[in-house]
Amino acid sequence: MSTNALPAQSGDFPAWYGEVVRRAGLAENSAVRGAMVIKPYGYAIWETIQRELDDRIKATGHENVYFPLLVPASVLAREGELVEGFAPELAVVTEAGGKQLEEPLAVRPTSEALIWSTYARWVQSYRDLPLLYNQWANCVRWELRPRLFLRTSEFLWQEGHTAHETEAEAVAEALTILHDVYADTIESVLAIPVLRGRKSESERFPGAVETYTLEALMRDGKALQTATSHYLGQGFARAFDVRFTGRDGNEQHPYATSWGATTRLVGGVVMAHGDDRGLRLPPRLAPQQVVIVPIAREDERADVLPAAGAVADELREAGIRVRVDDRPELRPGFKFNEWELKGVPVRVELGARDLAAAAATVARRDGGQKEQLPLAGLAAAICDLLDDVQAALFASAREERERRTLQDPQSYDELIEYLGEASGFAVAPWCGDADCEARVKADSSATIRCLPLDEQAAEAGACVCCGRPAVTSAVWAQAY
Ligand SMILES: [Zn+2]
């Protein structure tokens, strides 16, 4: 590990991000441009995200399935908007087993086509509905400007695909996933506050009637779309000829949803919480919540190391993920830097002087405060401290978002100036016209991130772009 300082976050955010991802051991580039190797520490973070999402997906009544990686081109072609939307990013296999294939096979960019062509066999009657399925998989969407975790040509994700008897049921499903699965995981585990909203038509998923989204603000003032949930209407059912006999005896098409969250969430955690010293991981996400660093001269090791082991056992019994860093060849200062870079929420230093006082020195990663705590009752105190760090990271990200949110700019120029400098979110009334949306994008490179779900249309006022009556308020930002 390099001992050079990281690039300053405020000076060169992209360089800072790249160095944190590399030096903290999260991921690295591979021989294929845009495809990343996820290293053990990065994968451990992903596994926690996966487990937390999966628990909630199952708690809301879904089951996991697995569909193949390869999709016949003719199947993908059946839904026009989907194939058009993904054409520029599609990877296609034309040769296998040493022969040209009769039909090219697309590497899935998403699985609606394959899954709905299968649902045609699974759905006959209203009694077969709803289908509430999810799969954990990888996807390929060819990236021209890849960035580790944020935009990679191959990524890991879950994709849910459900089929319902009624529109109301399908819309409710898309919103349940948005709130109870995604927002709950991202806010309570990843400690990232999110705006809940709908996408404007131009930002919708290809083939979706409505795309719901969760938008988070990163520490450089850019937005990150953290997860999306789509209400797909009956388009996919029609394209793949999925029909069922309804309660009234008539044949009809079911209503669809799909929803996904990807490994980009790992990048979101880096950018929402990290600082000049590296990562800051929320305790509920951290592979190691506590690291114990014994501080001992050669002649003190026989006392200090067993004491460190005993503290570790006590913390483990209290359900804390803990590691003792007893590598003898490294100085404590080096270890402190390394664990700070890796974002471990709490560090316990244990030296002969601490032991003589029946205490340990405890440092928190988020704010850097350090205090001596008695060894008696240490596990309970550290459990409280971890809760506190979790809450503090969320609160600090929310304050940062509020500080960086411009409410109701007085003029179009003020909006463009704010957005052009990637200062954060700007919230302003919008008439709903795609021309106004396109004008803001051309003038500032910012897009409408979402139309907030809690917005009252009556409050909207006049469109910030054209002055005509607004139909909604919109949240703009530059985005990853
Ligand atoms: Zn307008």
Side-chain angles (χ1 to χ4, degrees), residues 430-433 436 463-468:
W430 176 49
C431 62
D433 192 327
C436 286
C463 175
V464 68
C465 309
C466 66
R468 286 178 293 174

Side-chain angles (χ1 to χ4, degrees), residues 233-315:
Q234 293 171 302
F236 284 89
R238 283 203 188 90
F240 293 96
D241 201 21
V242 185
R243 281 173 295 176
F244 70 97
T245 309
R247 291 168 199 272
D248 57 4
N250 292 326
E251 232 180 30
Q252 48 204 281
H253 295 293
Y255 297 83
T257 80
S258 71
W259 26 276
T262 77
T263 32
R264 96 183 315 211
L265 284 171
V266 178
V269 169
V270 176
M271 296 194 297
H273 298 307
D275 65 12
D276 281 347
R277 307 182 71 85
L279 284 174
R280 294 191 303 170
L281 292 180
R284 291 186 67 182
L285 185 64
Q288 272 105 43
Q289 297 169 310
V290 174
V291 61
I292 301 176
V293 180
I295 299 170
R297 296 191 311 259
E298 197 56 44
D299 60 324
E300 293 165 345
R301 290 175 64 85
D303 292 327
V304 173
L305 290 187
V311 170
D313 287 344
E314 207 182 309
L315 297 187

Side-chain angles (χ1 to χ4, degrees), residues 8-26:
Q9 189 185 60
S10 56
D12 186 345
F13 197 89
W16 169 86
Y17 174 79
E19 281 297 287
V20 170
V21 168
R22 190 175 67 80
R23 290 199 212 172
L26 300 184

